[in-house]
Amino acid sequence: MEQRLALKKTLFSAALTFCLSSFTACDDTSSANEEFNAPQISSQADIYSSAQEAGLQSSNSEVSSPESSDSADLQTSSTSFESSGDTLPLSQSFMTSSSSVQEASPQSSATIESSSQPIAAQIPLDENGFATIADVYRSIAPSEKAVFVIRHSEREDAVTIETELTANGIKMAEDLGATLKSDEDFSYITSGFVRTNETANHIAIGRGTPSPKLITNYDITGNWFLKISADELATYADALGMKGSSIELMSRWAYGEDYPDALYDLEPRAKEFIETVILKNLPKWNRVSIMVSHDIFVMPLTVYGSQKQVALKYNEDYHWINYIAGLAIIVNENSELRFVPVKGADSGVIDYLAIYMAEHSITH
């Protein structure tokens, strides 16, 4: 461990340079063409949920609440927009406190009130705090509903609305779908970008259910937590001397640092999303939903759901949210919420320091 820490210090400048050069490969909503303004909602839901980890070291599409005049830019030739429990082995346990949910209606907001009854979800977590999506899916009771909020699969280097998945990204999505085969229909919610639509479509293909109906939701285009545009966020980070640009900025903010000019407070904004998007729409969705979004939305939501236990501190360990990784939001028959960080690939994180070391043949 001491040797690795020393190596990190030795490689600090070089690794930052490498990560900066790789920045466009992960900041996947940085293009001005992909800018969407998240609506400001003055009232915050009274939502409480705690997560403690033990032992933890496209096809036809339906639009949901468009919020941007740029929505026409999202139309592609493949997508049309309309108005509109097996018990798992316990290697590491993930504990959540239960929360009581009142179902949302158009006239009234959902609220979640805290309760002291603990719920143990026996789902193994890896060293970075993530469970596999397949394990979590198999753990969901018939009476529960779950939304898997994940980043899209691996994409091409360009960052535009039309950017497509790589061949490997297609395989990743289909391989994930193959682990989720069952007789039940899933709901698929995307940001409307080509890569999120393709991710949902290929997960469905892997499940053996091609050409799913896609529900487009503009709240998940990536700017939910941002007060300024993604391009402005990078400029803001650079002005503060952050060599990791907006990735470093968002990591510092998600784990407790305050940047009120650029970013909302994480906890109330995450709660607002759960209330106004997840709980409001949950009755309309199937028992299991796959929601495909972007890294600068999924990363902070995952940090919030894990109570900052996932290893995504880029400013310390050069970790960033991986493709098809994110957060499972589960509601049981008693209207209790639990959160589980999830991964669809081998890891829930991209380890940029490990990549740098491998590309430069550096060993411990």
Side-chain angles (χ1 to χ4, degrees), residues 36-42 65-67 218-219 223-224 226 264 269 272 276-277:
F36 290 86
N37 295 321
Q40 286 187 306
I41 300 175
S42 57
S65 302
E67 296 292 344
Y218 294 111
D219 286 325
N223 286 3
W224 179 264
L226 278 58
Y264 290 98
R269 192 64 169 160
E272 184 180 310
T276 62
V277 178

PDB file of all heavy atoms in Angstrom, residues 36-42 65-67 218-219 223-224 226 264 269 272 276-277:
ATOM      1  N   PHE A  36     -28.723  21.210 -22.050  1.00  0.00           N
ATOM      2  CA  PHE A  36     -30.126  21.266 -21.664  1.00  0.00           C
ATOM      3  C   PHE A  36     -30.216  21.900 -20.288  1.00  0.00           C
ATOM      4  O   PHE A  36     -29.406  21.634 -19.422  1.00  0.00           O
ATOM      5  CB  PHE A  36     -30.750  19.858 -21.619  1.00  0.00           C
ATOM      6  CG  PHE A  36     -30.909  19.248 -22.970  1.00  0.00           C
ATOM      7  CD1 PHE A  36     -29.865  18.548 -23.544  1.00  0.00           C
ATOM      8  CD2 PHE A  36     -32.089  19.395 -23.684  1.00  0.00           C
ATOM      9  CE1 PHE A  36     -29.999  17.991 -24.793  1.00  0.00           C
ATOM     10  CE2 PHE A  36     -32.211  18.831 -24.924  1.00  0.00           C
ATOM     11  CZ  PHE A  36     -31.174  18.134 -25.496  1.00  0.00           C
ATOM     12  N   ASN A  37     -31.210  22.748 -20.077  1.00  0.00           N
ATOM     13  CA  ASN A  37     -31.372  23.413 -18.798  1.00  0.00           C
ATOM     14  C   ASN A  37     -32.294  22.621 -17.898  1.00  0.00           C
ATOM     15  O   ASN A  37     -33.454  22.406 -18.233  1.00  0.00           O
ATOM     16  CB  ASN A  37     -31.960  24.816 -19.005  1.00  0.00           C
ATOM     17  CG  ASN A  37     -31.001  25.713 -19.758  1.00  0.00           C
ATOM     18  OD1 ASN A  37     -29.799  25.652 -19.531  1.00  0.00           O
ATOM     19  ND2 ASN A  37     -31.512  26.537 -20.661  1.00  0.00           N
ATOM     20  N   ALA A  38     -31.780  22.172 -16.751  1.00  0.00           N
ATOM     21  CA  ALA A  38     -32.623  21.459 -15.795  1.00  0.00           C
ATOM     22  C   ALA A  38     -33.553  22.444 -15.114  1.00  0.00           C
ATOM     23  O   ALA A  38     -33.142  23.538 -14.747  1.00  0.00           O
ATOM     24  CB  ALA A  38     -31.753  20.762 -14.750  1.00  0.00           C
ATOM     25  N   PRO A  39     -34.828  22.079 -14.940  1.00  0.00           N
ATOM     26  CA  PRO A  39     -35.768  23.005 -14.304  1.00  0.00           C
ATOM     27  C   PRO A  39     -35.442  23.208 -12.838  1.00  0.00           C
ATOM     28  O   PRO A  39     -35.018  22.287 -12.154  1.00  0.00           O
ATOM     29  CB  PRO A  39     -37.119  22.291 -14.465  1.00  0.00           C
ATOM     30  CG  PRO A  39     -36.764  20.847 -14.559  1.00  0.00           C
ATOM     31  CD  PRO A  39     -35.454  20.794 -15.276  1.00  0.00           C
ATOM     32  N   GLN A  40     -35.630  24.416 -12.344  1.00  0.00           N
ATOM     33  CA  GLN A  40     -35.445  24.693 -10.930  1.00  0.00           C
ATOM     34  C   GLN A  40     -36.764  24.477 -10.208  1.00  0.00           C
ATOM     35  O   GLN A  40     -37.799  24.985 -10.617  1.00  0.00           O
ATOM     36  CB  GLN A  40     -34.988  26.140 -10.725  1.00  0.00           C
ATOM     37  CG  GLN A  40     -33.546  26.376 -11.118  1.00  0.00           C
ATOM     38  CD  GLN A  40     -33.114  27.766 -10.736  1.00  0.00           C
ATOM     39  OE1 GLN A  40     -33.730  28.746 -11.089  1.00  0.00           O
ATOM     40  NE2 GLN A  40     -32.024  27.846  -9.998  1.00  0.00           N
ATOM     41  N   ILE A  41     -36.745  23.713  -9.141  1.00  0.00           N
ATOM     42  CA  ILE A  41     -37.938  23.451  -8.349  1.00  0.00           C
ATOM     43  C   ILE A  41     -37.672  23.971  -6.953  1.00  0.00           C
ATOM     44  O   ILE A  41     -36.725  23.545  -6.290  1.00  0.00           O
ATOM     45  CB  ILE A  41     -38.278  21.952  -8.319  1.00  0.00           C
ATOM     46  CG1 ILE A  41     -38.513  21.474  -9.754  1.00  0.00           C
ATOM     47  CG2 ILE A  41     -39.487  21.687  -7.446  1.00  0.00           C
ATOM     48  CD1 ILE A  41     -38.746  19.993  -9.869  1.00  0.00           C
ATOM     49  N   SER A  42     -38.489  24.894  -6.496  1.00  0.00           N
ATOM     50  CA  SER A  42     -38.188  25.573  -5.241  1.00  0.00           C
ATOM     51  C   SER A  42     -38.381  24.689  -4.027  1.00  0.00           C
ATOM     52  O   SER A  42     -37.639  24.750  -3.066  1.00  0.00           O
ATOM     53  CB  SER A  42     -39.074  26.821  -5.113  1.00  0.00           C
ATOM     54  OG  SER A  42     -40.438  26.466  -5.189  1.00  0.00           O
ATOM     55  N   SER A  65     -42.051  14.858 -20.599  1.00  0.00           N
ATOM     56  CA  SER A  65     -41.756  16.209 -20.102  1.00  0.00           C
ATOM     57  C   SER A  65     -40.542  16.860 -20.743  1.00  0.00           C
ATOM     58  O   SER A  65     -39.518  17.064 -20.103  1.00  0.00           O
ATOM     59  CB  SER A  65     -41.537  16.148 -18.581  1.00  0.00           C
ATOM     60  OG  SER A  65     -42.665  15.619 -17.961  1.00  0.00           O
ATOM     61  N   PRO A  66     -40.585  17.194 -22.050  1.00  0.00           N
ATOM     62  CA  PRO A  66     -39.458  17.887 -22.668  1.00  0.00           C
ATOM     63  C   PRO A  66     -39.257  19.245 -22.023  1.00  0.00           C
ATOM     64  O   PRO A  66     -40.205  19.959 -21.750  1.00  0.00           O
ATOM     65  CB  PRO A  66     -39.881  18.027 -24.146  1.00  0.00           C
ATOM     66  CG  PRO A  66     -41.362  17.918 -24.136  1.00  0.00           C
ATOM     67  CD  PRO A  66     -41.699  17.006 -22.983  1.00  0.00           C
ATOM     68  N   GLU A  67     -37.975  19.614 -21.768  1.00  0.00           N
ATOM     69  CA  GLU A  67     -37.672  20.872 -21.089  1.00  0.00           C
ATOM     70  C   GLU A  67     -36.790  21.772 -21.938  1.00  0.00           C
ATOM     71  O   GLU A  67     -36.307  22.778 -21.462  1.00  0.00           O
ATOM     72  CB  GLU A  67     -36.968  20.579 -19.754  1.00  0.00           C
ATOM     73  CG  GLU A  67     -37.815  19.832 -18.760  1.00  0.00           C
ATOM     74  CD  GLU A  67     -38.966  20.654 -18.230  1.00  0.00           C
ATOM     75  OE1 GLU A  67     -38.940  21.886 -18.398  1.00  0.00           O
ATOM     76  OE2 GLU A  67     -39.889  20.067 -17.658  1.00  0.00           O
ATOM     77  N   TYR A 218     -35.985  14.221 -20.583  1.00  0.00           N
ATOM     78  CA  TYR A 218     -34.959  15.240 -20.718  1.00  0.00           C
ATOM     79  C   TYR A 218     -34.362  15.674 -19.389  1.00  0.00           C
ATOM     80  O   TYR A 218     -33.413  16.465 -19.363  1.00  0.00           O
ATOM     81  CB  TYR A 218     -35.520  16.445 -21.474  1.00  0.00           C
ATOM     82  CG  TYR A 218     -35.861  16.110 -22.900  1.00  0.00           C
ATOM     83  CD1 TYR A 218     -37.189  16.070 -23.315  1.00  0.00           C
ATOM     84  CD2 TYR A 218     -34.867  15.796 -23.824  1.00  0.00           C
ATOM     85  CE1 TYR A 218     -37.502  15.740 -24.626  1.00  0.00           C
ATOM     86  CE2 TYR A 218     -35.183  15.458 -25.125  1.00  0.00           C
ATOM     87  CZ  TYR A 218     -36.499  15.437 -25.533  1.00  0.00           C
ATOM     88  OH  TYR A 218     -36.815  15.097 -26.824  1.00  0.00           O
ATOM     89  N   ASP A 219     -34.872  15.179 -18.273  1.00  0.00           N
ATOM     90  CA  ASP A 219     -34.259  15.468 -16.979  1.00  0.00           C
ATOM     91  C   ASP A 219     -32.945  14.721 -16.802  1.00  0.00           C
ATOM     92  O   ASP A 219     -32.177  15.030 -15.893  1.00  0.00           O
ATOM     93  CB  ASP A 219     -35.216  15.086 -15.839  1.00  0.00           C
ATOM     94  CG  ASP A 219     -36.371  16.074 -15.700  1.00  0.00           C
ATOM     95  OD1 ASP A 219     -36.151  17.271 -15.930  1.00  0.00           O
ATOM     96  OD2 ASP A 219     -37.490  15.634 -15.372  1.00  0.00           O
ATOM     97  N   ASN A 223     -27.487  17.448 -17.147  1.00  0.00           N
ATOM     98  CA  ASN A 223     -27.291  18.741 -16.485  1.00  0.00           C
ATOM     99  C   ASN A 223     -28.111  18.921 -15.218  1.00  0.00           C
ATOM    100  O   ASN A 223     -28.213  20.038 -14.713  1.00  0.00           O
ATOM    101  CB  ASN A 223     -27.636  19.875 -17.469  1.00  0.00           C
ATOM    102  CG  ASN A 223     -26.571  20.064 -18.528  1.00  0.00           C
ATOM    103  OD1 ASN A 223     -25.599  19.323 -18.576  1.00  0.00           O
ATOM    104  ND2 ASN A 223     -26.756  21.033 -19.391  1.00  0.00           N
ATOM    105  N   TRP A 224     -28.671  17.872 -14.696  1.00  0.00           N
ATOM    106  CA  TRP A 224     -29.550  17.979 -13.526  1.00  0.00           C
ATOM    107  C   TRP A 224     -28.869  18.638 -12.330  1.00  0.00           C
ATOM    108  O   TRP A 224     -29.469  19.431 -11.612  1.00  0.00           O
ATOM    109  CB  TRP A 224     -30.073  16.597 -13.134  1.00  0.00           C
ATOM    110  CG  TRP A 224     -30.965  16.620 -11.924  1.00  0.00           C
ATOM    111  CD1 TRP A 224     -30.614  16.370 -10.630  1.00  0.00           C
ATOM    112  CD2 TRP A 224     -32.365  16.929 -11.896  1.00  0.00           C
ATOM    113  NE1 TRP A 224     -31.689  16.505  -9.789  1.00  0.00           N
ATOM    114  CE2 TRP A 224     -32.784  16.853 -10.545  1.00  0.00           C
ATOM    115  CE3 TRP A 224     -33.293  17.276 -12.872  1.00  0.00           C
ATOM    116  CZ2 TRP A 224     -34.101  17.096 -10.152  1.00  0.00           C
ATOM    117  CZ3 TRP A 224     -34.606  17.519 -12.484  1.00  0.00           C
ATOM    118  CH2 TRP A 224     -34.989  17.430 -11.131  1.00  0.00           C
ATOM    119  N   LEU A 226     -26.177  20.574 -12.463  1.00  0.00           N
ATOM    120  CA  LEU A 226     -25.400  21.734 -12.867  1.00  0.00           C
ATOM    121  C   LEU A 226     -26.252  23.007 -12.875  1.00  0.00           C
ATOM    122  O   LEU A 226     -27.382  23.002 -13.362  1.00  0.00           O
ATOM    123  CB  LEU A 226     -24.816  21.535 -14.267  1.00  0.00           C
ATOM    124  CG  LEU A 226     -23.536  20.723 -14.414  1.00  0.00           C
ATOM    125  CD1 LEU A 226     -23.687  19.304 -13.864  1.00  0.00           C
ATOM    126  CD2 LEU A 226     -23.129  20.673 -15.885  1.00  0.00           C
ATOM    127  N   TYR A 264     -25.572  22.507  -7.780  1.00  0.00           N
ATOM    128  CA  TYR A 264     -26.556  22.452  -6.702  1.00  0.00           C
ATOM    129  C   TYR A 264     -25.996  21.652  -5.530  1.00  0.00           C
ATOM    130  O   TYR A 264     -25.045  20.868  -5.685  1.00  0.00           O
ATOM    131  CB  TYR A 264     -27.836  21.772  -7.181  1.00  0.00           C
ATOM    132  CG  TYR A 264     -28.644  22.572  -8.169  1.00  0.00           C
ATOM    133  CD1 TYR A 264     -28.541  22.333  -9.537  1.00  0.00           C
ATOM    134  CD2 TYR A 264     -29.522  23.561  -7.735  1.00  0.00           C
ATOM    135  CE1 TYR A 264     -29.291  23.058 -10.457  1.00  0.00           C
ATOM    136  CE2 TYR A 264     -30.278  24.296  -8.644  1.00  0.00           C
ATOM    137  CZ  TYR A 264     -30.153  24.038  -9.999  1.00  0.00           C
ATOM    138  OH  TYR A 264     -30.896  24.762 -10.909  1.00  0.00           O
ATOM    139  N   ARG A 269     -30.776  18.013  -4.217  1.00  0.00           N
ATOM    140  CA  ARG A 269     -31.026  17.873  -5.658  1.00  0.00           C
ATOM    141  C   ARG A 269     -31.267  16.409  -6.023  1.00  0.00           C
ATOM    142  O   ARG A 269     -32.116  16.104  -6.873  1.00  0.00           O
ATOM    143  CB  ARG A 269     -29.842  18.441  -6.424  1.00  0.00           C
ATOM    144  CG  ARG A 269     -30.101  18.631  -7.914  1.00  0.00           C
ATOM    145  CD  ARG A 269     -31.171  19.632  -8.195  1.00  0.00           C
ATOM    146  NE  ARG A 269     -31.195  19.956  -9.630  1.00  0.00           N
ATOM    147  CZ  ARG A 269     -32.215  20.497 -10.250  1.00  0.00           C
ATOM    148  NH1 ARG A 269     -33.317  20.787  -9.577  1.00  0.00           N
ATOM    149  NH2 ARG A 269     -32.155  20.784 -11.539  1.00  0.00           N
ATOM    150  N   GLU A 272     -34.707  15.533  -4.894  1.00  0.00           N
ATOM    151  CA  GLU A 272     -35.673  16.125  -5.812  1.00  0.00           C
ATOM    152  C   GLU A 272     -35.849  15.261  -7.051  1.00  0.00           C
ATOM    153  O   GLU A 272     -36.963  15.068  -7.553  1.00  0.00           O
ATOM    154  CB  GLU A 272     -35.220  17.528  -6.193  1.00  0.00           C
ATOM    155  CG  GLU A 272     -36.191  18.282  -7.077  1.00  0.00           C
ATOM    156  CD  GLU A 272     -35.670  19.666  -7.405  1.00  0.00           C
ATOM    157  OE1 GLU A 272     -35.276  20.396  -6.474  1.00  0.00           O
ATOM    158  OE2 GLU A 272     -35.652  20.024  -8.603  1.00  0.00           O
ATOM    159  N   THR A 276     -39.407  13.774  -8.102  1.00  0.00           N
ATOM    160  CA  THR A 276     -40.119  14.325  -9.257  1.00  0.00           C
ATOM    161  C   THR A 276     -39.991  13.492 -10.530  1.00  0.00           C
ATOM    162  O   THR A 276     -40.789  13.649 -11.447  1.00  0.00           O
ATOM    163  CB  THR A 276     -39.635  15.754  -9.544  1.00  0.00           C
ATOM    164  OG1 THR A 276     -38.239  15.734  -9.876  1.00  0.00           O
ATOM    165  CG2 THR A 276     -39.867  16.656  -8.331  1.00  0.00           C
ATOM    166  N   VAL A 277     -38.990  12.624 -10.585  1.00  0.00           N
ATOM    167  CA  VAL A 277     -38.807  11.796 -11.779  1.00  0.00           C
ATOM    168  C   VAL A 277     -39.084  10.326 -11.485  1.00  0.00           C
ATOM    169  O   VAL A 277     -39.932   9.704 -12.125  1.00  0.00           O
ATOM    170  CB  VAL A 277     -37.393  11.971 -12.371  1.00  0.00           C
ATOM    171  CG1 VAL A 277     -37.209  11.067 -13.590  1.00  0.00           C
ATOM    172  CG2 VAL A 277     -37.156  13.433 -12.754  1.00  0.00           C
TER     173      VAL A 277
END
